[in-house]
């Protein structure tokens, strides 16, 4: 568990009177402080920018907080581009990293001055046809294939991933775009997800820097910025250790001095698109225990379900679970903590030692501030929960209301169905 829950049992009990469970709670102060640590660590480079991965927590209030801390955004769809605009993140502070992208979305990014990060060699011609011209700045996503080893199961082996260009395609892509009059170039890669080994990111930077030098040598194109992607993990399990931002930055700086400076590429801007380490530890799914079941196992049923947090069901991911007010009580029971979805994978915790839970207890699922509410869905007609922000002054604001049946039915022609035969 990478952070302590900020509210006492009495504080949380009072909060749920105003915001009934389930809901997500985010800690603004902790998110800001964490972002400042991240920025400080990478300030050892001539130019640094974090582009928060909107897909991790697509709420404009969160984006606006991060914008005030100097962040841009990384977007993968039109709605994410629009959310960035709403939050005041615009122009080249936005990188559009998408794949199999419709022409209309490229047009929006181009018209708003966003950096377009192309995912395939054939997208050069597609982009030119869509826009009538190529942008002055283009970035390409590199897939190192078997050259990059040690990737974890969430993102998979690069050579099996649908993303990016091969090394040979990268060289040719820069050559073509230079001939087409493109003036500014970036290079991006993303080969990790929830990785805790600092050396993994140093090795990735080494590959990227060496490719930048090769591109300059073979095409004359000077890469102006590299986007090292994201993938920095958080310690979901109590025994895991958080990634040391300073250690990662120092290791990458050593490769920068070894490769970038001698190649004549200094200053080279360093960009990230982290999401999980920025907000993940500072968001919690708050639920209430509403059922007990005693069969072959002991079950605790919550008023939230996999539709609110799908990571455990989808990946078998671990999230620490605590019971408000019982944090220091002995873990005398073993439960499967489950939701109400009609799928047996709808389990937040499996055979988890916990204190004895009573109906009405408030159950906290930790480290849910990234890829939590964002991955919600409506299967079984489940209504997704809302989001609450704890402000720096200790006040609370609902930054997304819970869904209603009317929301769920909004796209249905309910009037027309009565006349249908």
């Amino acid at each position: 568990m990478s952070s302590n829950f900020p509210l006492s049992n009495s504080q949380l009990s009072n909060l749920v009177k105003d915001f009934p469970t389930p809901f997500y709670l985010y800690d603004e102060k902790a998110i800001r402080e964490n972002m400042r640590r991240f920025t400080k660590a990478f300030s050892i480079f001539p130019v640094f920018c974090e582009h928060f991965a909107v897909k991790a927590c697509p709420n404009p209030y969160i984006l606006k907080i991060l914008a005030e801390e100097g962040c841009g955004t990384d977007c993968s769809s039109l709605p994410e581009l629009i959310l960035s605009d709403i939050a005041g993140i615009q122009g080249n502070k936005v990188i559009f990293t998408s794949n199999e992208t419709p022409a209309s979305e490229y047009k929006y990014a181009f018209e708003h001055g966003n950096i377009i990060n192309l995912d395939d060699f054939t997208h050069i011609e597609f982009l030119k046809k869509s826009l009538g011209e190529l942008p002055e700045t283009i970035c390409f996503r590199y897939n190192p294939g078997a050259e990059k080893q040690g990737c974890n199961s969430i993102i998979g082996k690069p050579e099996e991933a649908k993303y990016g260009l091969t090394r040979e395609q990268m060289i040719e892509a820069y050559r073509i775009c230079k001939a087409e009059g493109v003036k500014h170039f970036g290079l991006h890669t993303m080969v990790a997800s929830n990785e805790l080994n600092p050396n993994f990111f140093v090795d990735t930077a080494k590959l990227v820097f060496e490719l930048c030098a090769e591109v300059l040598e073979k095409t004359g194109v000077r890469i102006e910025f590299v986007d090292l992607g994201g993938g920095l993990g958080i310690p979901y399990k109590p025994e895991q250790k958080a990634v040391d931002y300073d250690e990662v930055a120092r290791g990458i700086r050593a490769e920068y001095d070894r490769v970038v400076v001698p190649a004549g590429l200094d200053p080279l801007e360093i960009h990230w698109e982290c999401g999980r380490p920025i907000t993940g530890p500072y968001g919690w799914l708050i639920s209430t225990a509403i059922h007990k079941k005693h069969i072959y196992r002991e079950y605790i049923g919550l008023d939230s379900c996999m539709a609110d947090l799908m990571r455990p069901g989808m990946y078998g991911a671990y999230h620490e679970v605590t019971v408000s007010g019982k944090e220091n009580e002995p873990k005398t029971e073993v439960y499967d903590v489950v939701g109400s979805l009609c799928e047996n994978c709808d389990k937040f915790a499996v055979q988890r030692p916990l204190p004895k839970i009573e109906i009405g207890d408030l159950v906290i699922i930790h480290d849910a501030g990234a890829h939590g509410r964002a991955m919600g869905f409506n299967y079984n007609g489940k209504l997704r929960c809302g989001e609450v922000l704890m402000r720096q002054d200790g006040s609370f604001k609902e930054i997304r209301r819970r869904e209603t049946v009317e929301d769920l039915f909004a796209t249905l022609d309910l009037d027309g169905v009565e006349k249908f035969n």
Side-chain angles (χ1 to χ4, degrees):
M1 182 170 58
S2 43
S3 64
N4 294 320
F5 187 67
L7 300 180
S8 67
N9 179 245
S10 61
Q11 289 173 319
L12 184 58
S13 297
N14 286 329
L15 184 62
V16 300
K17 294 175 183 176
D18 294 325
F19 307 107
T21 60
F23 62 85
Y24 277 86
L25 177 67
Y26 305 106
D27 185 339
E28 177 185 351
K29 182 180 178 182
I31 290 171
R32 287 184 183 276
E33 290 175 348
N34 180 47
M35 190 60 239
R36 290 168 189 170
R37 290 193 297 271
F38 193 85
T39 300
K40 183 179 179 182
F42 290 94
S43 65
I44 61 175
F45 293 95
V47 180
F48 166 72
C49 184
E50 152 69 355
H51 300 264
F52 178 73
V54 177
K55 59 181 169 284
C57 194
N59 190 298
Y61 284 86
I62 299 297
L63 299 183
K64 191 167 185 179
I65 288 168
L66 293 172
E68 290 173 0
E69 297 299 332
C71 284
T73 54
D74 178 88
C75 301
S76 57
S77 69
L78 177 59
E80 291 184 357
L81 291 170
I82 294 172
L83 282 175
S84 295
D85 277 340
I86 291 171
I89 304 172
Q90 300 170 338
N92 62 10
K93 293 286 281 187
V94 178
I95 296 181
F96 186 38
T97 302
S98 60
N99 65 94
E100 315 310 334
T101 309
S104 59
E105 299 194 5
Y106 278 140
K107 288 178 183 177
Y108 184 97
F110 175 69
E111 290 168 359
H112 287 75
N114 306 145
I115 295 173
I116 294 176
N117 183 21
L118 292 181
D119 186 65
D120 188 67
F121 184 82
T122 64
H123 294 177
I124 301 172
E125 186 60 31
F126 182 84
L127 185 64
K128 184 178 179 182
K129 184 178 179 181
S130 301
L131 305 179
E133 61 180 314
L134 290 177
E136 287 192 354
T137 301
I138 281 185
C139 186
F140 289 102
R141 180 171 183 168
Y142 174 46
N143 182 331
E147 188 178 1
K148 181 62 178 173
Q149 300 294 315
C151 301
N152 56 36
S153 61
I154 295 178
I155 205 164
K157 297 178 181 178
E159 62 268 33
E160 297 175 0
K162 68 174 182 175
Y163 307 108
L165 288 74
T166 68
R167 196 177 192 93
E168 293 75 18
Q169 289 174 334
M170 293 287 284
I171 300 296
E172 186 63 16
Y174 288 114
R175 182 179 287 118
I176 289 172
C177 287
K178 180 185 179 184
E180 289 280 351
V182 176
K183 297 178 180 178
H184 307 287
F185 295 91
L187 193 159
H188 166 278
T189 196
M190 174 73 179
V191 290
S193 181
N194 197 35
E195 177 60 56
L196 294 173
N197 179 5
N199 293 328
F200 185 96
F201 303 101
V202 177
D203 180 66
T204 299
K206 172 179 176 291
L207 287 177
V208 169
F209 293 157
E210 289 174 349
L211 180 54
C212 288
E214 184 179 352
V215 168
L216 179 61
E217 179 184 352
K218 292 183 176 179
T219 71
V221 168
R222 183 187 182 282
I223 306 295
E224 297 179 13
F225 68 91
V226 295
D227 184 336
L228 299 176
L232 270 74
I234 61 175
Y236 287 100
K237 297 181 179 180
E239 67 272 17
Q240 292 176 324
K241 180 184 177 184
V243 175
D244 186 328
Y245 300 154
D246 292 304
E247 182 180 353
V248 173
R250 287 193 301 268
I252 294 175
R253 179 71 214 207
E255 291 298 329
Y256 183 100
D257 292 338
R258 186 184 69 82
V259 178
V260 173
V261 175
L265 290 166
D266 181 45
L268 178 66
E269 297 180 14
I270 304 298
H271 297 242
W272 282 96
E273 58 169 80
C274 291
R276 189 190 317 269
I278 306 302
T279 58
Y282 312 108
W284 301 264
L285 176 56
I286 311 301
S287 306
T288 300
I290 60 173
H291 289 289
K292 287 185 179 183
K293 186 168 185 174
H294 315 285
I295 48 173
Y296 306 105
R297 291 182 175 183
E298 295 295 309
Y299 292 89
I300 294 295
L302 304 182
D303 59 357
S304 59
C305 69
M306 185 180 171
D308 298 306
L309 177 62
M310 70 184 299
R311 295 188 70 256
M314 183 176 184
Y315 302 121
Y318 182 99
H319 282 263
E320 185 75 351
V321 176
T322 59
V323 184
S324 183
K326 298 183 178 180
E327 293 86 355
N328 298 318
E329 292 188 10
K331 298 177 180 180
T332 57
E333 313 300 317
V334 176
Y335 296 114
D336 280 15
V337 181
V338 304
S340 59
L341 203 71
C342 293
E343 295 290 339
N344 196 46
C345 61
D346 181 21
K347 298 183 177 183
F348 296 113
V350 176
Q351 294 296 276
R352 187 74 61 85
L354 290 166
K356 188 174 182 179
I357 298 177
E358 303 294 348
I359 302 301
D361 279 350
L362 296 171
V363 177
I364 303 163
I365 301 175
H366 292 250
D367 300 305
H371 309 289
R373 176 60 173 74
M375 295 175 74
F377 56 94
N378 290 122
Y379 180 58
N380 272 182
K382 295 299 181 183
L383 304 175
R384 290 171 291 184
C385 67
E387 296 173 297
V388 176
L389 179 67
M390 183 171 75
R391 304 304 306 271
Q392 294 190 91
D393 62 4
S395 63
F396 297 92
K397 179 172 180 59
E398 186 176 51
I399 58 174
R400 190 197 299 269
R401 65 166 174 80
R402 58 169 51 199
E403 287 183 331
T404 65
V405 172
E406 289 74 24
D407 294 327
L408 187 64
F409 290 170
T411 56
L412 295 173
D413 182 7
L414 299 180
D415 294 329
V417 74
E418 294 179 3
K419 305 171 187 176
F420 181 77
N421 55 48

